[in-house]
Amino acid sequence: MKTINLFGLKLQFEVKRNRYSDENIYSKEYSLREKLIYIILVMFIIAFSSKISLLSNQNNYKVGDIVKADLYAPNTIIFKDQGAKEKIIEGIIRDSGKEYIYSSDVEKLYFDYFDDFFKRINQLKNGASNGLESNLLERNTNKKIPYTLIEELVSLKEKELDRVEKASKKFLIEAYKDGIVQEKNSIFYREPADKKYEKLNELEKKIVDIFISPNYIYDEVKTKKNIREKVSQINDQYVEIKAGTLIAKTGEVLNERRIKILEACGIYSYKKSFSLIFANILYLGIVSSLFYNLFFNNYRKIILNKNYYRSSMLILAGILLTFRILNNDWMYFIPIDTAFFLLILLVEKNYAISLFSFMLFFLMPILNYNLQYFTIYFISMAFAAHIVAKITTRSGIIAAGIQLSILKVTLYLLLSYFSEIESFTVAIIVGLILLSGLVSGMLTIAFLPYFEKTFNILTIFRLLELGDLSHPLLKKISVEAPGTFQHSVMVATLSENAAAAIGANTVFCRVASYYHDLGKTKRPKFYVENQQNGENPHNKISPFMSTLIITSHTKDGAELAKEYQIPKEIRDIMYEHQGTTFLAYFYNAAKNIDPNVEKEEFRYSGPKPKTKESAIIMLADSIEAAIRSLDEKSPIAMESMIRKIINGKIEDNQLSEANLTFKEIEIIIKTFVKTLVSIHHVRIKYPGQK
């Protein structure tokens, strides 16, 4: 117990090491957590290893530094050149003409003032007027007219006054024609009027200054709007830098644009490197947390299945290491679809989608967060799940790979159009995507059998192979227990039709039915369907021994199937198809010998059916055998027998662990009746038959 005195308060706390009991360590929840942590560690380490080079970065460049050694681009990148875009914008601003408001009335109005002014000067000079009304003119022109200017003009000789008037007016005509511009608070002449103005004498300049007024007013709002419209049409500028391109020479002074190119290629300063390391750890930590919560709550059963878990781990590690080892220039060629195809075919569609999605998230650090790649494969994943789930032949996998690659090419071309990637690069990547689709399908076909056998996983293709009647075990049944074989074929027909009616796995029901009574090959003569000439071995042994022999066929079949590497799902059917069914015949026979015999000794060991498929096979097995005993195989008689058997199974609690509904049971009954009627239909008698 630790005690701390703080501000008059006594704080006590105790630290103990967490001890896990054996019960906790070996619990399913503990095992699930452990397995998930292993998956996360593998993906985290592989993804984070791609950023370890940031810690060993020997460069510490910043703007203004001199390059110590030639630097080459480690990968091919598409660089968004912001500097190039800014230069184009600067050129547009520089070259864009300014917008002005033109007024044609100004020129006419001021020429009227000019003519009126010289008219009054001439009148004043000739004595026709006592004075010049300068106040009115000053108000009109908003210019101060110096009295000395008037005196100077009046004192001129007529020829000189006429010359000054003509020279001034000529300049004003040309100036208004070229344009007198006002921008904010300044007024100036356009070329060439500004140069002509300099050639005027002082008197002419004074006169001209009075009678000029801007006829072009700078429109700042319209000018800025025009520039904005032009700038908005400029797209981002992208530069493709190939792997191995010299991006900085020794002795070169680095500017801001060059620094951005270095960073885009993955050459960072120490400060930037550590910030990126922290960002990657944070990103991978968030993704890992989401992965843990999703899979812990939704995929417990799959993760706890060691075969599914190991195969998933191998696929994940294989793909991530492939991306880690190969250069990112080959990212579109790497057959990542193989991983998705294998996960769907080996495990389950929803699990495959979830696992593949997170694998893409963990790939992002390795691919330098290439969002275009992520988007293409994330979108195409849904289409892939749809088409692969419907595949029933191995050749269909190659077709799925090609179809998927066509979708990815379409998405890539669409995204490339908006990204403005160089057309040559686009053509190469399109070729790589198409080739990757073909290779993905071929690799899936190549790897799938090894995964099926190594991890003993049942796929649709493995089921179809096991359903081949030339399989050694099926041949063994047909030769050593022909009656059992015929019975199994009938059960397969019944269960397959019933499974199709309620949406269960039809292929699994058919194939599992072929093998469900495999154990009867050990002592075939002890089962009535294999007995000949009315000879029954049970008549020579006790009912206790008979019960032991009969009930052992479930275990015998599972052990023999294991030797031949028959998947666990089918071996489970061998155990479950009899559940804990009661052997009433031998019980009654034993009771005659020993009245105190226990009823439970005459039951199969189980377990009870745990799936719809297992329950269907149990019902089909019992019904097929019972129908054989009917003398009259009419639809009514068969339906009555079927309902009696199924009700007996329900009352005996044999279907309590299977997720069958009463509605589905009714559908199964009708399907059984329909199938059996077609099998036991009445034939037309041939001529001469009684």
Side-chain angles (χ1 to χ4, degrees):
M1 183 73 71
K2 184 72 174 177
T3 303
I4 298 176
N5 292 314
L6 183 66
F7 302 117
L9 299 173
K10 184 181 287 186
L11 302 177
Q12 291 183 331
F13 60 92
E14 185 176 5
V15 178
K16 287 185 178 181
R17 184 174 181 178
N18 193 4
R19 297 182 180 274
Y20 293 101
S21 65
D22 289 344
E23 183 182 354
N24 288 333
I25 290 175
Y26 295 107
S27 68
K28 285 187 177 181
E29 188 169 305
Y30 184 89
S31 179
L32 177 64
R33 293 179 189 278
E34 191 177 36
K35 289 176 182 292
L36 285 174
I37 288 171
Y38 286 150
I39 293 179
I40 291 170
L41 278 176
V42 167
M43 293 193 291
F44 191 102
I45 291 169
I46 296 174
F48 185 70
S49 67
S50 64
K51 300 302 176 186
I52 293 295
S53 59
L54 293 172
L55 296 174
S56 60
N57 184 17
Q58 300 298 316
N59 303 312
N60 189 17
Y61 292 119
K62 58 182 182 293
V63 176
D65 284 353
I66 297 173
V67 179
K68 302 168 188 174
D70 288 349
L71 298 175
Y72 298 90
N75 302 304
T76 299
I77 64 162
I78 305 296
F79 173 64
K80 185 178 179 180
D81 196 344
Q82 191 63 30
K85 183 178 180 180
E86 289 174 358
K87 283 185 179 179
I88 295 173
I89 293 172
E90 288 174 5
I92 288 174
I93 295 173
R94 184 178 61 251
D95 299 336
S96 291
K98 295 178 180 178
E99 297 292 333
Y100 295 94
I101 300 171
Y102 173 69
S103 175
S104 59
D105 295 335
V106 172
E107 180 181 352
K108 182 177 179 301
L109 185 63
Y110 273 80
F111 275 127
D112 289 343
Y113 296 153
F114 180 87
D115 292 340
D116 185 62
F117 174 74
F118 273 95
K119 179 180 177 182
R120 292 181 182 278
I121 291 293
N122 284 313
Q123 288 176 351
L124 189 62
K125 183 176 178 64
N126 297 327
S129 174
N130 294 328
L132 183 68
E133 296 179 2
S134 59
N135 291 336
L136 178 61
L137 187 59
E138 287 177 353
R139 285 197 301 272
N140 290 334
T141 60
N142 201 26
K143 305 281 180 66
K144 182 70 177 175
I145 300 176
Y147 184 74
T148 54
L149 175 62
I150 296 172
E151 286 186 336
E152 188 176 355
L153 289 171
V154 171
S155 65
L156 292 175
K157 294 180 180 180
E158 287 188 11
K159 286 186 178 181
E160 183 64 20
L161 181 62
D162 186 54
R163 187 198 66 75
V164 169
E165 180 183 0
K166 288 180 179 178
S168 301
K169 190 168 185 178
K170 180 182 178 183
F171 173 78
L172 287 172
I173 291 171
E174 292 175 353
Y176 276 111
K177 183 179 179 182
D178 294 334
I180 302 170
V181 180
Q182 177 181 337
E183 290 188 12
K184 295 184 178 179
N185 296 324
S186 61
I187 299 174
F188 58 88
Y189 299 105
R190 284 180 174 171
E191 292 183 354
D194 56 343
K195 295 178 181 178
K196 292 178 181 178
Y197 177 80
E198 298 299 328
K199 295 178 181 180
L200 298 176
N201 58 39
E202 291 302 319
L203 178 59
E204 291 168 346
K205 286 180 179 179
K206 290 177 182 179
I207 295 169
V208 165
D209 289 344
I210 295 171
F211 296 101
I212 65 160
S213 181
N215 60 345
Y216 286 91
I217 310 298
Y218 174 58
D219 191 341
E220 185 177 5
V221 175
K222 191 174 181 180
T223 301
K224 288 182 177 179
K225 181 181 178 182
N226 186 33
I227 292 173
R228 277 197 301 270
E229 288 177 354
K230 291 180 179 178
V231 168
S232 65
Q233 296 174 9
I234 300 174
N235 297 319
D236 291 331
Q237 302 299 302
Y238 292 92
V239 178
E240 184 178 23
I241 301 175
K242 301 276 188 184
T245 303
L246 180 65
I247 53 178
K249 295 181 181 178
T250 304
E252 180 182 359
V253 178
L254 295 173
N255 55 23
E256 188 175 349
R257 178 177 178 273
R258 191 66 64 179
I259 287 290
K260 289 180 178 178
I261 292 176
L262 291 177
E263 290 183 351
C265 291
I267 301 172
Y268 308 104
S269 64
Y270 289 133
K271 184 178 178 181
K272 185 72 179 270
S273 295
F274 279 106
S275 64
L276 284 171
I277 286 288
F278 176 76
N280 276 279
I281 291 174
L282 183 63
Y283 168 81
L284 290 172
I286 292 171
V287 173
S288 298
S289 299
L290 294 173
F291 178 90
Y292 180 87
N293 286 304
L294 176 68
F295 281 76
F296 184 84
N297 295 317
N298 295 283
Y299 300 109
R300 294 188 175 207
K301 189 175 180 180
I302 293 175
I303 298 295
L304 289 172
N305 183 308
K306 66 179 182 180
N307 291 330
Y308 290 157
Y309 174 76
R310 290 172 182 173
S311 59
S312 299
M313 177 76 87
L314 183 60
I315 292 167
L316 278 178
I319 286 294
L320 288 172
L321 284 172
T322 303
F323 275 93
R324 179 69 185 89
I325 294 168
L326 295 180
N327 191 288
N328 283 350
D329 290 344
W330 296 96
M331 70 173 76
Y332 286 101
F333 176 70
I334 297 173
I336 189 174
D337 293 333
T338 299
F340 191 55
F341 291 167
L342 287 173
L343 287 170
I344 289 181
L345 295 170
L346 291 169
V347 191
E348 189 260 340
K349 184 171 76 171
N350 292 335
Y351 172 80
I353 292 172
S354 300
L355 193 59
F356 190 80
S357 300
F358 275 97
M359 187 178 72
L360 288 176
F361 280 109
F362 277 100
L363 268 179
M364 285 297 96
I366 300 174
L367 301 179
N368 294 321
Y369 298 93
N370 189 319
L371 294 180
Q372 186 181 54
Y373 183 92
F374 178 86
T375 304
I376 290 170
Y377 279 84
F378 197 82
I379 293 174
S380 60
M381 178 175 58
F383 178 71
H386 176 70
I387 59 175
V388 175
K390 294 185 175 182
I391 291 175
T392 55
T393 61
R394 294 187 188 271
S395 60
I397 297 174
I398 295 179
I402 295 172
Q403 291 171 17
L404 190 59
S405 66
I406 292 171
L407 172 64
K408 287 186 287 189
V409 164
T410 305
L411 291 170
Y412 176 75
L413 291 174
L414 192 63
L415 294 174
S416 300
Y417 175 78
F418 294 108
S419 301
E420 299 185 353
I421 300 175
E422 185 183 335
S423 57
F424 180 72
T425 303
V426 170
I428 291 176
I429 293 178
V430 164
L432 290 176
I433 293 174
L434 291 172
L435 193 58
S436 174
L438 179 63
V439 172
S440 293
M442 295 171 66
L443 287 177
T444 303
I445 293 174
F447 288 142
L448 188 59
Y450 293 100
F451 276 92
E452 288 172 336
K453 291 182 179 179
T454 303
F455 300 104
N456 203 16
I457 296 175
L458 189 64
T459 66
I460 180 65
F461 307 112
R462 187 88 185 278
L463 270 175
L464 293 172
E465 289 170 358
L466 290 170
D468 186 350
L469 296 180
S470 63
H471 190 279
L473 284 180
L474 296 183
K475 278 189 173 182
K476 180 181 176 68
I477 300 172
S478 65
V479 172
E480 298 179 11
T484 298
F485 180 76
Q486 294 300 322
H487 161 72
S488 297
V489 171
M490 294 287 286
V491 171
T493 303
L494 287 169
S495 59
E496 184 177 24
N497 291 342
I502 66 168
N505 191 328
T506 57
V507 179
F508 177 79
C509 281
R510 175 170 59 83
V511 176
S513 296
Y514 288 157
Y515 291 88
H516 80 286
D517 274 342
L518 175 64
K520 291 182 178 180
T521 57
K522 191 170 183 178
R523 303 177 189 87
K525 298 299 180 181
F526 282 86
Y527 302 92
V528 66
E529 66 266 23
N530 299 313
Q531 295 170 3
Q532 297 176 354
N533 303 321
E535 187 178 338
N536 188 348
H538 291 287
N539 295 331
K540 300 176 182 179
I541 59 176
S542 71
F544 299 99
M545 181 59 70
S546 295
T547 300
L548 184 62
I549 293 171
I550 294 295
T551 56
S552 66
H553 87 272
T554 57
K555 182 182 178 182
D556 293 338
E559 289 177 353
L560 182 58
K562 194 171 184 179
E563 291 178 18
Y564 281 79
Q565 293 186 325
I566 300 298
K568 183 178 180 296
E569 291 84 352
I570 293 180
R571 299 204 308 271
D572 288 343
I573 296 297
M574 295 178 186
Y575 281 114
E576 295 174 8
H577 79 277
Q578 292 291 353
T580 58
T581 302
F582 177 57
L583 298 173
Y585 176 84
F586 293 112
Y587 170 74
N588 292 326
K591 204 166 184 181
N592 292 330
I593 300 171
D594 181 6
N596 298 320
V597 69
E598 292 291 335
K599 193 174 182 179
E600 295 303 317
E601 294 178 15
F602 292 85
R603 284 187 179 275
Y604 281 91
S605 59
K608 297 174 184 178
K610 290 181 170 55
T611 63
K612 288 182 180 181
E613 290 79 8
S614 184
I616 289 170
I617 293 172
M618 168 188 264
L619 298 176
D621 180 50
S622 300
I623 287 165
E624 198 283 328
I627 293 298
R628 286 174 180 267
S629 66
L630 287 178
D631 294 327
E632 181 190 355
K633 294 182 176 60
S634 65
I636 296 174
M638 287 191 288
E639 182 175 351
S640 176
M641 177 63 79
I642 290 169
R643 291 189 180 277
K644 181 180 178 181
I645 291 171
I646 291 178
N647 288 335
K649 295 291 183 185
I650 294 172
E651 290 172 4
D652 197 27
N653 215 23
Q654 296 300 313
L655 303 179
S656 59
E657 296 179 18
N659 54 342
L660 277 177
T661 64
F662 284 110
K663 182 178 180 181
E664 287 172 332
I665 289 173
E666 188 61 31
I667 294 171
I668 290 170
I669 291 170
K670 291 179 179 178
T671 306
F672 281 163
V673 171
K674 184 178 179 181
T675 305
L676 288 168
V677 166
S678 63
I679 292 172
H680 298 287
H681 64 278
V682 178
R683 292 180 177 272
I684 299 173
K685 292 183 179 181
Y686 287 104
Q689 286 185 321
K690 293 184 181 180

